[in-house]
């Protein structure tokens, strides 16, 4: 996978931007997304040009004043954003190293259970879109929901609660499975020394075309 998705939790500090710029150059990324930047719309153009001069970008400010998702790409990448809502932006992209296009969806799910249900329905609907037929599809980001009880360190039982079941059913209907990964399985923790809770909320999921 040669694209990225990073929940930066704030992009206004120059130190954050400097670290991000070095990280992009070091890994030679050409396409990706930033989540939860806390940057107002009027400042996005200036900040992107300062950190990634010449890059293009899109966002979902029309759904959130402080937005949730930025999509960024190098001039060598062809990008068509065709689906944009509060919790997800989907694109068809062609990277310079690939002949055929692929579909990438960046997710920043709400902490509200009811709103997340809308996202699960959007994933199912998108999986049936004609633009995805025969194409690799990757969905990545912060889903704010575990997929299995064992992904929550505070779980006292392996019984599946309703939010977990709805998420699992949606990924099954959408034909998405977890991409294998290296590193810690927990991507979020409550930063408490006492009563520590850790969860896997961030993930990368793919369809069958990505695996074949």
């Amino acid at each position: 996978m040669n694209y990225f998705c990073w929940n930066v939790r704030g992009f206004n500090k120059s130190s954050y931007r400097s670290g991000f710029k070095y990280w992009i150059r070091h890994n030679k990324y050409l396409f990706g997304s930033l989540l939860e930047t806390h940057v107002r719309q009027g400042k996005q153009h200036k900040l992107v040009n300062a950190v990634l001069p010449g890059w293009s970008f899109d966002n979902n400010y029309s759904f959130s004043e402080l937005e949730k998702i930025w999509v960024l790409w190098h001039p060598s990448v062809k990008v068509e954003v065709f689906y944009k809502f509060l919790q997800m932006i989907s694109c068809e992209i062609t990277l310079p190293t690939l002949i055929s296009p692929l579909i990438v969806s960046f997710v920043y799910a709400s902490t509200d259970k009811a709103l997340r249900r809308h996202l699960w329905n959007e994933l199912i609907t998108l999986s049936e879109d004609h633009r995805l037929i025969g194409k690799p599809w990757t969905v990545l980001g912060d889903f704010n929901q575990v997929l299995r009880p064992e992904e929550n360190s505070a779980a006292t039982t392996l019984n599946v609660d309703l939010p977990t079941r709805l998420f699992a059913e949606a990924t099954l209907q959408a034909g998405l499975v977890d991409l294998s990964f290296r590193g810690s399985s927990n991507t979020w923790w409550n930063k408490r020394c006492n009563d520590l809770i850790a969860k896997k909320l961030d993930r990368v999921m793919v369809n069958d075309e990505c695996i074949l």
Side-chain angles (χ1 to χ4, degrees), residues 130-186:
H130 67 91
R131 281 166 288 207
L132 271 70
I133 296 176
K135 293 177 183 174
W137 179 32
T138 304
V139 184
L140 66 163
D142 184 346
F143 291 81
N144 264 312
Q145 172 63 51
V146 299
L147 187 61
R148 305 170 188 88
E150 58 267 29
E151 294 177 347
N152 181 352
S153 67
T156 57
T157 173
L158 291 181
N159 291 336
V160 179
D161 61 15
L162 180 59
T164 302
R165 179 169 61 80
L166 291 175
F167 182 29
E169 288 177 351
T171 59
L172 181 64
Q173 290 184 58
L176 294 167
V177 296
D178 269 333
L179 190 66
S180 59
F181 65 93
R182 290 178 293 177
S184 173
S185 60
N186 296 319

Side-chain angles (χ1 to χ4, degrees), residues 35-62:
L35 309 178
E36 203 176 357
T37 64
H38 300 161
V39 174
R40 296 193 178 276
Q41 186 171 8
K43 294 179 62 179
Q44 184 187 22
H45 188 275
K46 178 181 178 180
L47 294 184
V48 172
N49 282 342
V51 177
L52 301 171
W55 282 46
S56 299
F57 55 88
D58 207 336
N59 55 63
N60 65 341
Y61 281 106
S62 56

Side-chain angles (χ1 to χ4, degrees), residues 3-35 37 39 44 46-53 55-57 70-74 106:
Y3 40 92
F4 67 90
C5 184
W6 188 353
N7 189 336
V8 291
R9 296 181 177 87
F11 202 60
N12 285 295
K13 291 185 178 180
S14 60
S15 59
Y16 287 16
R17 298 195 298 273
S18 296
F20 172 72
K21 184 176 182 178
Y22 171 81
W23 182 74
I24 287 287
R25 289 181 173 179
H26 178 73
N27 290 285
K28 299 180 180 179
Y29 289 121
L30 299 177
F31 170 74
S33 175
L34 291 179
L35 309 178
T37 64
V39 174
Q44 184 187 22
K46 178 181 178 180
L47 294 184
V48 172
N49 282 342
V51 177
L52 301 171
W55 282 46
S56 299
F57 55 88
W70 284 6
V71 179
L72 311 160
W73 63 93
H74 186 270
F106 296 108

